[in-house]
Amino acid sequence: MKRIAILGPSTFSEEATRHFLGDDKFIYVSYKLISEVFNATASGETDLGVIPIENTLEGSVHLHVDWLVHEVDLPIRAEWVFPIDMNLIGFPHPEGQIDADNPYKHIRKVLSHHVVPAQCSRFMKQYLRDAEFEQVSSTAEGVRIVSQMKDPSVAAIGTAIASANYGVPMLQREIQDHKDNMTRFLLVGKEASELASSEQMKTTILVTLPEDYPGALHQVLSAFAWRRINLSKIESKPTKKKLGNYYFYMDIVGTLDSVLLPAAIQEIEAIGCQVRILGCYPSYSYHSE
């Protein structure tokens, strides 16, 4: 069976991956840092890796995009989205609820991943405004630390699977600001894997414009527009080679097996653009079980 590197254990990455790929065909290997997920897959220690790449509230995870673009050469093999339910996980006050207005007033420190405060700002301002936030490598790592400390004044914000796996009570479910909070995950690897068919295919490319070429971006977009090719995402990011030089990260609804998309790429290359293809892959929507 193929080995898949994930950020984990007991993280949203694990929840999402097990939901979409199941437990029968793959072996999941957990790593504490996203850099370890990338490196394990790039070195062949694992066959594939799972990368959180975009969130409904926070947008692109720029560090992960940079790794995908600058640090490794790992084609995108699939994408899917998964709902992100943040939960307050910890131990209740030993004397029971002592503040009817704020049952979590006893919590003095909260451990979680750095993206969490922005996604749970309303709940944290209302109930945890006096608590110190401490960043850890993942939501699951925060729950693991709380499980070892067994200190009611220290809580974590993380996954339901982490609460169950580490034996720490769930104090409050779904504390995120928006109930439709979703994260998009990428499956990356040097070799493709057999996956379920999907009605939608996507292609991700990087386009670097020629220097000092007035109207170049307009010409690039026109190559897709007149062919009625949908760009589901376009972002400009620095090339890290020279100040003021940018590439464009584009997600395209379509496949390289079609006639139109390869023709559009040839057209923008003809005006001097450099094009790098990061992957042509199936895209999966979320369906609850």
Side-chain angles (χ1 to χ4, degrees):
M1 291 193 293
K2 289 192 173 182
R3 295 162 59 85
I4 298 183
I6 58 172
L7 190 67
S10 303
T11 59
F12 290 113
S13 289
E14 180 176 352
E15 278 192 339
T17 306
R18 290 185 183 277
H19 176 86
F20 280 95
L21 298 181
D23 297 315
D24 300 331
K25 298 180 180 180
F26 302 96
I27 298 173
Y28 299 111
V29 185
S30 297
Y31 295 90
K32 289 186 177 181
L33 302 175
I34 199 68
S35 59
E36 295 175 332
V37 173
F38 275 112
N39 285 329
T41 308
S43 68
E45 184 177 324
T46 58
D47 302 290
L48 298 160
V50 174
I51 309 298
I53 202 72
E54 186 178 4
N55 177 261
T56 302
L57 306 182
E58 293 294 289
S60 294
V61 186
H62 297 294
L63 174 63
H64 300 180
V65 174
D66 283 348
W67 263 91
L68 193 64
V69 172
H70 297 291
E71 303 296 334
V72 295
D73 184 14
L74 293 172
I76 302 171
R77 298 301 181 181
E79 74 160 18
W80 61 81
V81 294
F82 190 75
I84 301 301
D85 291 333
M86 299 289 185
N87 307 285
L88 183 64
I89 299 168
F91 296 96
H93 194 284
E95 299 177 5
Q97 183 174 318
I98 59 175
D99 191 323
D101 294 329
N102 184 0
Y104 313 116
K105 195 171 183 178
H106 65 284
I107 297 174
R108 312 309 300 172
K109 180 182 286 189
V110 177
L111 310 178
S112 199
H113 192 263
H114 69 87
V115 302
V116 166
Q119 297 184 22
C120 305
S121 60
R122 295 175 187 169
F123 183 91
M124 294 181 72
K125 286 177 181 177
Q126 181 175 357
Y127 296 108
L128 302 170
R129 56 185 175 272
D130 296 324
E132 172 193 356
F133 179 80
E134 182 176 316
Q135 176 183 329
V136 292
S137 60
S138 69
T139 54
E141 177 65 8
V143 180
R144 186 192 69 79
I145 294 172
V146 169
S147 72
Q148 292 184 333
M149 295 181 68
K150 293 183 171 56
D151 181 351
S153 70
V154 181
I157 296 176
T159 64
I161 191 175
S163 171
N165 287 347
Y166 290 113
V168 185
M170 190 94 71
L171 298 178
Q172 182 65 50
R173 293 180 178 272
E174 299 183 16
I175 66 171
Q176 68 272 14
D177 292 351
H178 300 276
K179 300 305 179 184
D180 57 351
N181 185 19
M182 308 286 282
T183 288
R184 176 177 165 232
F185 293 87
L186 298 181
L187 183 68
V188 300
K190 295 179 180 179
E191 297 183 9
S193 182
E194 292 186 8
L195 300 171
S197 60
S198 174
E199 295 181 356
Q200 179 166 282
M201 295 291 293
K202 278 189 176 181
T203 301
T204 296
I205 65 174
L206 304 181
V207 177
T208 305
L209 304 181
E211 292 188 39
D212 299 324
Y213 192 106
L217 179 58
H218 179 270
Q219 285 188 276
V220 168
L221 298 180
S222 295
F224 297 104
W226 76 263
R227 291 179 173 89
R228 302 183 68 83
I229 297 173
N230 182 24
L231 302 181
S232 61
K233 180 176 181 178
I234 177 171
E235 286 187 351
S236 64
K237 296 181 68 64
T239 62
K240 299 187 177 182
K241 295 179 179 179
K242 181 180 178 182
L243 186 65
N245 278 15
Y246 295 87
Y247 67 83
F248 291 86
Y249 182 103
M250 298 181 180
D251 287 336
I252 304 165
V253 179
T255 174
L256 292 172
D257 293 333
S258 68
V259 174
L260 295 179
L261 181 52
I265 292 174
Q266 290 175 4
E267 181 176 326
I268 62 178
E269 287 178 329
I271 63 171
C273 293
Q274 296 179 1
V275 179
R276 176 184 167 192
I277 297 172
L278 292 185
C280 181
Y281 51 91
S283 174
Y284 302 94
S285 300
Y286 174 74
H287 299 286
S288 60
E289 294 179 336

